[in-house]
Amino acid sequence: MSKRDYYEVLGVSQDASKDEIKKAYRKLARKYHPDVSEEENASEKFKEAKEAYETLSDQQKRAQYDQFGHQDPNQGFGGFGGGQDFGGFGDIFDMFFGGGGRQRDPNAPRKGADLQYTMTLQFEEAIFGKSTDVEIPVEEACDTCDGSGAKPGTTPDTCPHCEGSGQINQEQNTPFGRVVNRRVCHYCQGSGKIIKDKCQTCGGDGRVTKRNKIHIDIPAGIDEGHQIRVQGKGEAGVNGGPAGDLFVVIRVQPHEFFQRDGDHIFCEIPLTFAQAALGDEIEVPTVHGKVMLKIPAGTQTGKTFRLKEKGAPNVHGRGQGDQHVKMKIITPKNLTERQKELLREFNDISGNEATEEQHGNFFERMKRAFKGD
């Protein structure tokens, strides 16, 4: 499937300014971001808009796109792309073409790493939501050296081996002749700089680990396994790049009485034989407080009643679930002689009539089975 024109994706003209492109991308990002959008194929549309913005917001990439479109100008040799590895041929291509466009500027801004934090909630906290603060260990730029890694009052020196480029050209003799192979400078690890007087706080790394207090708003109705994305609260960026994001993974402790399935809550209520036979009005606990439930006479074990909108709120704001209450008839133990006497009297009076009235079809089938019908 061919890609759509990047200008068409963002809805801008080919002579659009950088600000117009940025504004158009932000509008689409708010509309299609997977964390907030309910649109169909939102993830694919967001990815398409992001790809278009990354190309058109970069002057060099935009010029290349305007000239070549989606086709990679570095493709050749039967369609081998510059970013692929074909069983060792990539190294040969690197030797002939000096790495082509695959080398990354070691001093270019890079986004910081994303972080993940697991938060455990009580059952009711997941139902109603909460606001809380958490402490997250993150790497940030060293305050002492402002991230340079050099002792205050000093500056890093240009690497004499790569002359600040971060890369070293190595000549090799091959069956095809002498070729140049470009590699990351191992003296400066590609930074292009050498630190002689290192910062005592960070040891020359330019980054230190800190514990950041981050405020988290847990929405009502969140459930086990859901994630909350907190933008810009991950690791600090490199070379002035943006910070990564924090992803909070939710775990919910089980409840001793309630069980949850999506937005619905389930529970089991015990009934005495007398309550089930004669009917009653009982008090039923819900996460929203106690409610009265009328039990009709002749209620059987396993019968389920629905309490409308007494479940969990939908985390996306789409209504509220129900609570389903299942009846369980409890057989009494340790009966007194008087209780036994009354039950015998009840059994003598009713005989099989009561059970046949409730389960007539079952007993009819059983009788036919014994008669061989």
Side-chain angles (χ1 to χ4, degrees):
M1 182 178 178
S2 59
K3 291 185 178 181
R4 283 205 298 157
D5 179 78
Y6 285 152
Y7 293 101
E8 179 186 342
V9 170
L10 296 181
V12 297
S13 62
Q14 289 193 351
D15 57 353
S17 66
K18 203 167 184 179
D19 287 339
E20 289 174 329
I21 291 173
K22 187 175 184 180
K23 184 177 180 181
Y25 168 67
R26 285 183 172 178
K27 182 178 179 181
L28 292 174
R30 284 194 296 268
K31 183 177 181 181
Y32 294 120
H33 197 285
D35 290 343
V36 297
S37 178
E38 299 178 8
E39 300 252 354
E40 187 177 358
N41 300 324
S43 180
E44 290 77 7
K45 292 178 181 178
F46 175 75
K47 184 178 179 181
E48 183 182 47
K50 186 173 184 291
E51 181 179 320
Y53 174 70
E54 288 177 348
T55 298
L56 300 184
S57 62
D58 184 284
Q59 185 176 356
Q60 183 176 353
K61 290 181 180 179
R62 182 177 180 179
Q64 181 173 297
Y65 175 75
D66 289 342
Q67 184 175 358
F68 298 101
H70 290 293
Q71 183 178 356
D72 184 358
N74 294 320
Q75 281 189 332
F77 295 92
F80 291 140
Q84 303 182 46
D85 186 4
F86 296 91
F89 288 103
D91 292 336
I92 296 177
F93 291 163
D94 282 350
M95 289 192 299
F96 277 108
F97 304 110
R102 304 202 311 175
Q103 298 290 344
R104 175 185 289 181
D105 180 2
N107 295 311
R110 297 196 303 275
K111 182 182 178 180
D114 294 333
L115 296 177
Q116 180 175 294
Y117 176 82
T118 300
M119 178 181 291
T120 302
L121 300 177
Q122 299 290 334
F123 188 87
E124 289 83 356
E125 290 176 332
I127 298 295
F128 298 108
K130 64 179 292 188
S131 293
T132 185
D133 292 328
V134 296
E135 285 194 351
I136 305 293
V138 297
E139 280 195 353
E140 293 186 349
C142 175
D143 293 332
T144 305
C145 63
D146 293 327
S148 70
K151 182 179 179 180
T154 68
T155 56
D157 296 330
T158 299
C159 176
H161 303 280
C162 64
E163 297 180 347
S165 68
Q167 299 174 343
I168 293 179
N169 295 332
Q170 296 177 337
E171 294 186 355
Q172 290 181 280
N173 291 321
T174 73
F176 303 100
R178 183 177 294 273
V179 296
V180 176
N181 187 8
R182 181 172 293 174
R183 290 287 181 260
V184 174
C185 176
H186 64 274
Y187 296 99
C188 64
Q189 284 75 49
S191 67
K193 298 176 181 179
I194 298 290
I195 302 175
K196 292 182 178 179
D197 296 322
K198 296 182 178 180
C199 171
Q200 294 183 349
T201 302
C202 64
D205 291 336
R207 298 162 71 87
V208 293
T209 300
K210 298 181 181 179
R211 296 191 68 85
N212 279 0
K213 182 179 287 187
I214 300 172
H215 184 75
I216 308 290
D217 288 318
I218 308 296
I222 201 163
D223 205 354
E224 175 80 17
H226 286 182
Q227 292 191 57
I228 299 172
R229 176 173 173 259
V230 187
Q231 191 171 5
K233 295 300 181 179
E235 299 281 12
V238 180
N239 298 326
D245 300 327
L246 171 66
F247 291 87
V248 181
V249 180
I250 299 299
R251 295 286 178 262
V252 181
Q253 290 185 344
H255 195 277
E256 62 180 358
F257 181 71
F258 298 116
Q259 290 183 329
R260 181 178 173 184
D261 185 3
D263 297 336
H264 300 299
I265 293 176
F266 298 81
C267 69
E268 192 173 71
I269 295 290
L271 286 182
T272 67
F273 169 77
Q275 285 176 310
L278 302 175
D280 198 0
E281 189 172 13
I282 63 173
E283 196 175 60
V284 176
T286 76
V287 293
H288 304 279
K290 295 179 180 179
V291 299
M292 300 304 295
L293 175 63
K294 189 173 182 179
I295 306 298
T299 294
Q300 302 299 304
T301 192
K303 172 67 176 177
T304 300
F305 297 91
R306 180 170 71 105
L307 300 177
K308 191 175 181 181
E309 296 186 350
K310 293 299 181 182
N314 182 271
V315 72
H316 300 295
R318 296 192 289 268
Q320 186 141 326
D322 304 324
Q323 179 166 318
H324 299 266
V325 184
K326 184 178 181 180
M327 298 295 110
K328 182 178 181 181
I329 312 302
I330 303 299
T331 302
K333 297 180 180 179
N334 303 319
L335 296 174
T336 66
E337 285 302 321
R338 177 58 177 159
Q339 289 171 328
K340 292 178 182 178
E341 182 182 344
L342 291 172
L343 284 176
R344 291 190 190 102
E345 183 179 350
F346 170 78
N347 190 59
D348 290 340
I349 294 173
S350 61
N352 288 330
E353 293 178 5
T355 52
E356 288 186 359
E357 180 184 349
Q358 299 292 339
H359 303 288
N361 292 335
F362 171 76
F363 281 103
E364 286 298 324
R365 292 197 302 271
M366 187 174 69
K367 288 178 181 178
R368 288 197 297 270
F370 279 108
K371 290 180 180 178
D373 293 343

